[in-house]
Amino acid sequence: MNIFQDGLFLVTNSIDLVSGYPLAVLTPNVNEYKRLVHKVLNCEVHDQDADGQLLYLSKRIGGVTILRKGKSDLISDGEIVQSVTIDGSPRHCGGRGDILSGSVAVFLSWANQYILAAEGNLATGSAIHSL
């Protein structure tokens, strides 16, 4: 397990760590998503209603953003679901999920700085806590 997998394992077993935190983004792969659905919704993954289940899962965790990785990536913040179906690289090398998580962390940091600046708290703001 790498640090991101450890973080998702921890969050899956302690949902309250991220529940209701608007800048939290979870990026589970297929197996991590299954564990998350089982733990939070107490059911199996329903691919027939993948959008609806992801929307409900995000709502149950307090509106955190979930980016479900797969053949088609699904993203929900508990309000809407977006699908990304653009083909990526034909070679699926290891570490792409780590790059995705790192990129998301950069954008979240920028979003946090923007929010703090808009509130006039930029000088006293704290860094984003990431998993």
Side-chain angles (χ1 to χ4, degrees), residues 50-66:
D51 289 13
Q53 188 174 46
L54 179 62
L55 186 70
Y56 185 57
L57 177 63
S58 179
K59 283 182 185 180
R60 287 287 304 268
I61 303 177
V64 303
T65 299
I66 301 172

Side-chain angles (χ1 to χ4, degrees), residues 43-96:
C43 67
E44 300 301 318
V45 172
H46 301 294
D47 287 326
Q48 306 87 309
D49 186 24
D51 289 13
Q53 188 174 46
L54 179 62
L55 186 70
Y56 185 57
L57 177 63
S58 179
K59 283 182 185 180
R60 287 287 304 268
I61 303 177
V64 303
T65 299
I66 301 172
L67 191 163
R68 177 186 171 184
K69 298 180 289 190
K71 186 164 178 70
S72 247
D73 296 335
L74 294 175
I75 308 164
S76 180
D77 62 356
E79 298 292 325
I80 62 169
V81 176
Q82 294 290 320
S83 177
V84 178
T85 57
I86 298 170
D87 287 335
S89 169
R91 278 195 64 167
H92 292 263
C93 57
R96 291 187 319 156

Side-chain angles (χ1 to χ4, degrees), residues 13-34:
N13 290 306
S14 302
I15 294 297
D16 56 316
L17 291 173
V18 296
S19 183
Y21 183 59
L23 293 179
V25 177
L26 307 179
T27 59
N29 63 27
V30 172
N31 291 323
E32 292 162 340
Y33 185 74
K34 286 179 184 179

